């Protein structure tokens, strides 16, 4: 007799926990927009109480999200992080901030708030901010509608700064920064902890400002794109290489995603490179990383020259002759001399060979060439003789490619151009996922 209410209770508990599990494992889909003026990208999020939509500059790197608190941070749910809290100790920032002459508010809390030094990934300028937590959500459908399950986000709230030092240079319209880097408290790491989901996220940068791409959290895939394409089947994997020590916090490793590039080919010809530059040396210099802080891939001067030579030579075989270049590019061709293909202008392919000869990230015309008026220009830029990182694979080369960052297996899954499959980042099928 007495077991009946128990069973009812258990059934109810199971029912509710299944509801909870279902909602906590919901795929979170955040639209990514391209800003035409900077050629950089923003991510849509919801923050505060009541939840408000906000655009954050998207950075595939960076430690902790940051947000501009100078402009009337109105929320009924923010909580400054006390400097003596366990969380602050785990973060180990070594900084605490006080209110000085400012009133107590989101950017200050008593005389001891956990502090952080956020850095603008584009200009490398830094500032000081106070850490707080507030209510946070991401959309669950491609069309920004209702926010999904609400959690808390830890972020750096930046102080008023008349020079706006750490906001200048970011994608236009951003109120802060979505740090997607390799760090315990980056946005993906916080989401994975909040929803007990594996630390795996995917990014698909849009090729145009008119049709948004997306970032996917809380799901390891499969990723379906219309018309009926399962892109998980097409992902090729390469290990993520641990980065060097960082510049801001000595106790943290680099939040950037480094890859083990072994060579570059144009068509099938190996570009002669100084291989030493492809490895990270004992001072943290060299190596190859992915980053959204630069719109176009930056190559150390000798690598850049070698690539350009190979590209011009292979293009000549297609009867393409270079014309006057348009800055920041060095090689341009008259657009009417170039055929157009499903994967963009018909030019030689550029292959990034990762780890082994079988792991090839093929870059087709849509990702290698940039349209400037009546020309198509090779969208790679000279990164200087002595850059900190020898190759920084930038935004244009990543557009309409699906990238899966799998921090569980420390690997990057890449699709190469989605145009090969006659789809784009804008065609993610949110009904199937
Ligand atoms: C942190 O400091 C405040 C104010 O001094 C104190 O009330 C609180 O108990 C301290 N918390 C911890 C975890 O030490
Ligand atoms: C953060 O990372 C460090 C080093 O990997 C680890 O020891 C620590 O437990 C992590 N903290 C959390 C909250 O995951
Ligand atoms: C999609 O591809 C993944 C990876 O190959 C596979 O596990 C999954 O079953 C596929 N889904 C369908 C519906 O075929
Ligand atoms: C290759 O690059 C390394 C690192 O910059 C440099 O020390 C070395 O002299 C270069 N080798 C050649 C042959 O240029
Ligand atoms: C290039 O031009 C030459 C001479 O006009 C011609 O014979 C050849 O077929 C052309 N090659 C291509 C790839 O168009």
């Amino acid at each position: 007799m007495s077991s009946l209410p128990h069973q009812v209770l258990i059934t109810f508990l199971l029912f509710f926990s299944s509801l909870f599990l279902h909602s906590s494992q919901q795929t979170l889909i955040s639209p990514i927009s391209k800003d035409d003026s900077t050629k950089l990208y923003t991510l849509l999020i919801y923050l505060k109480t009541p939840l408000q939509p906000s655009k954050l500059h998207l950075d595939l790197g960076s430690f902790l999200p940051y947000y501009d608190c100078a402009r009337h941070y109105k929320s009924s749910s923010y909580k400054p992080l006390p400097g003596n809290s366990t969380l602050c100790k785990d973060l180990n920032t070594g900084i605490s901030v006080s209110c000085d002459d400012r009133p107590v508010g989101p950017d200050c809390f008593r005389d001891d708030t956990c502090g952080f030094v956020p850095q603008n990934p584009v200009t490398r300028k830094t500032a000081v901010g106070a850490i707080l937590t507030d209510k946070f959500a991401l959309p669950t459908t491609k069309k920004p509608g209702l926010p999904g399950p609400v959690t808390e986000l830890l972020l750096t709230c930046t102080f008023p700064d008349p020079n706006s030092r750490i906001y200048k240079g970011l994608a236009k319209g951003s109120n802060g920064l979505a740090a997607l880097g390799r760090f315990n408290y980056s946005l993906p790491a916080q989401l994975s902890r909040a929803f007990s989901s594996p630390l795996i996220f995917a990014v698909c940068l849009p090729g145009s400002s008119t049709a948004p791409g997306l970032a996917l959290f809380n799901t390891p895939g499969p990723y379906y794109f219309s018309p009926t394409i399962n892109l998980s089947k097409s992902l090729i994997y390469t290990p993520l290489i641990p980065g060097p020590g960082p510049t801001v916090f000595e106790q943290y490793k680099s939040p950037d995603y480094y890859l083990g590039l072994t060579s570059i080919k144009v068509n099938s010809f190996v570009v002669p490179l100084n291989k030493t530059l492809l490895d990270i040396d004992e001072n943290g210099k060299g190596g190859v990383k992915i980053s959204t802080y630069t719109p176009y891939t930056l190559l150390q001067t000798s690598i850049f020259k070698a690539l350009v030579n190979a590209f011009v030579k292979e293009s000549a075989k297609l009867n393409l002759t270079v014309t006057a270049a348009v800055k920041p590019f060095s090689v341009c061709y008259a657009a009417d001399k170039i055929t157009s293909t499903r994967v963009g202008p018909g030019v030689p392919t550029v292959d990034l060979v990762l780890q082994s000869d079988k792991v090839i990230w093929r870059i087709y015309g849509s990702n290698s060439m940039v349209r400037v008026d009546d020309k198509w220009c090779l969208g790679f830029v000279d990164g200087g003789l002595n850059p900190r990182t020898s190759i920084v694979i930038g935004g244009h080369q990543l557009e309409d490619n699906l990238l899966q960052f799998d921090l569980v297996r420390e690997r990057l899954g890449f699709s190469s151009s989605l145009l090969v499959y006659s789809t784009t980042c804008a065609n993610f099928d949110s009904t199937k996922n």
Side-chain angles (χ1 to χ4, degrees):
M1 281 293 274
S2 72
S3 72
L4 190 61
H6 255 102
Q7 273 184 349
V8 170
L9 182 66
I10 287 167
T11 310
F12 259 94
L13 280 176
L14 283 175
F15 174 68
F16 279 110
S17 69
S18 75
L19 271 186
F20 175 75
L21 280 176
H22 178 77
S23 81
S24 72
Q25 283 168 2
Q26 206 167 356
T27 299
L28 306 175
I29 308 166
S30 184
I32 297 176
S33 306
K34 182 174 183 179
D35 162 36
D36 269 337
S37 63
T38 57
K39 315 270 184 236
L40 301 173
Y41 312 87
T42 58
L43 184 80
L44 181 78
I45 61 141
Y46 295 91
L47 192 69
K48 307 176 187 173
T49 302
L51 280 174
Q52 287 158 45
S54 200
K55 278 184 171 182
L56 303 184
H57 174 96
L58 181 147
D59 188 51
L60 284 171
S62 292
F63 297 108
L64 196 64
Y66 66 78
Y67 195 84
D68 188 356
C69 284
R71 279 178 265 154
H72 310 294
Y73 192 95
K74 263 201 205 134
S75 171
S76 62
S77 52
Y78 74 81
K79 292 190 220 98
L81 184 66
N84 63 357
S85 59
T86 326
L87 190 48
C88 188
K89 293 207 175 91
D90 191 35
L91 269 163
N92 191 23
T93 65
I95 297 166
S96 73
V97 293
S98 54
C99 293
D100 297 326
D101 50 359
R102 284 170 293 130
V104 169
D107 60 350
C108 81
F109 167 69
R110 295 191 321 235
D111 272 338
D112 177 25
T113 305
C114 198
F116 203 77
V117 177
Q119 184 175 41
N120 178 319
V122 181
T123 62
R124 301 266 130 206
K125 292 227 158 76
T126 56
V128 179
I131 299 175
L132 59 73
T133 58
D134 206 346
K135 297 289 179 201
F136 172 80
L138 288 175
T140 54
T141 57
K142 203 170 60 166
K143 286 206 184 79
L146 290 176
V150 178
T151 179
E152 301 238 301
L153 185 73
L154 189 75
L155 56 87
T156 306
C157 172
T158 59
F159 300 159
D161 169 13
N163 300 319
S164 202
R165 283 165 19 110
I166 60 163
Y167 291 96
K168 262 185 203 149
L170 299 184
K172 218 158 129 190
S174 32
N175 293 314
L177 178 118
L180 303 186
R182 252 158 154 345
F183 182 58
N184 263 349
Y185 294 94
S186 70
L187 185 59
Q190 291 193 48
L191 285 168
S192 151
R193 215 172 294 133
F195 295 112
S196 307
S197 60
L199 184 36
I200 298 171
F201 68 98
V203 165
C204 205
L205 298 179
S208 97
S209 57
T210 51
L214 73 168
L216 295 158
F217 302 94
N218 224 12
T219 175
Y223 310 108
Y224 299 105
F225 283 66
S226 55
T228 58
I229 303 155
N230 178 359
L231 274 178
S232 292
K233 280 190 181 151
S234 311
L235 291 180
I236 302 171
Y237 293 94
T238 185
L240 289 168
I241 308 283
T247 48
V248 183
F249 287 102
E250 275 169 18
Q251 65 274 37
Y252 300 156
K253 275 202 166 163
S254 167
D256 294 338
Y257 296 100
Y258 279 81
L259 303 178
L261 184 78
T262 49
S263 72
I264 300 177
K265 291 181 182 173
V266 174
N267 283 340
S268 51
F269 296 97
V270 175
V271 176
L273 304 178
N274 177 348
K275 294 258 163 105
T276 310
L277 293 168
L278 302 180
D279 296 323
I280 303 169
D281 73 12
E282 64 277 12
N283 299 317
K285 275 190 65 182
V288 178
K289 71 180 181 190
I290 284 187
S291 183
T292 44
Y293 82 77
T294 171
Y296 309 108
T297 295
L298 300 170
L299 304 162
Q300 189 272 350
T301 302
S302 70
I303 302 177
F304 175 74
K305 284 186 176 158
L307 174 68
V308 164
N309 283 343
F311 192 87
V312 169
K313 204 165 127 197
E314 285 304 307
S315 299
K317 293 181 187 169
L318 301 171
N319 287 344
L320 297 177
T321 48
V322 296
T323 174
V326 183
K327 276 187 177 167
F329 309 112
S330 303
V331 176
C332 297
Y333 299 94
D336 61 2
K337 296 283 192 296
I338 297 186
T339 59
S340 99
T341 75
R342 182 159 60 132
V343 288
V347 293
T349 53
V350 177
D351 287 350
L352 305 179
V353 183
L354 297 152
Q355 249 77 35
S356 99
D357 266 359
K358 291 201 188 87
V359 181
I360 290 172
W361 182 339
R362 180 152 292 173
I363 301 175
Y364 297 94
S366 60
N367 290 110
S368 65
M369 306 304 281
V370 178
R371 184 70 185 238
V372 187
D373 301 326
D374 58 349
K375 293 172 186 180
W376 280 111
C377 300
L378 181 63
F380 292 77
V381 173
D382 186 347
L385 262 174
N386 200 19
R388 180 162 169 84
T389 309
S390 301
I391 300 180
V392 184
I393 303 170
H396 184 72
Q397 276 69 40
L398 305 175
E399 288 176 355
D400 285 322
N401 281 234
L402 181 69
L403 302 176
Q404 183 197 54
F405 296 83
D406 179 345
L407 282 313
V408 178
R409 292 159 88 167
E410 294 282 338
R411 61 181 190 170
L412 173 79
F414 58 93
S415 63
S416 189
S417 177
L418 298 192
L419 304 185
V420 169
Y421 308 99
S422 302
T423 191
T424 67
C425 289
N427 290 336
F428 178 72
D429 187 345
S430 56
T431 60
K432 277 224 188 68
N433 289 275

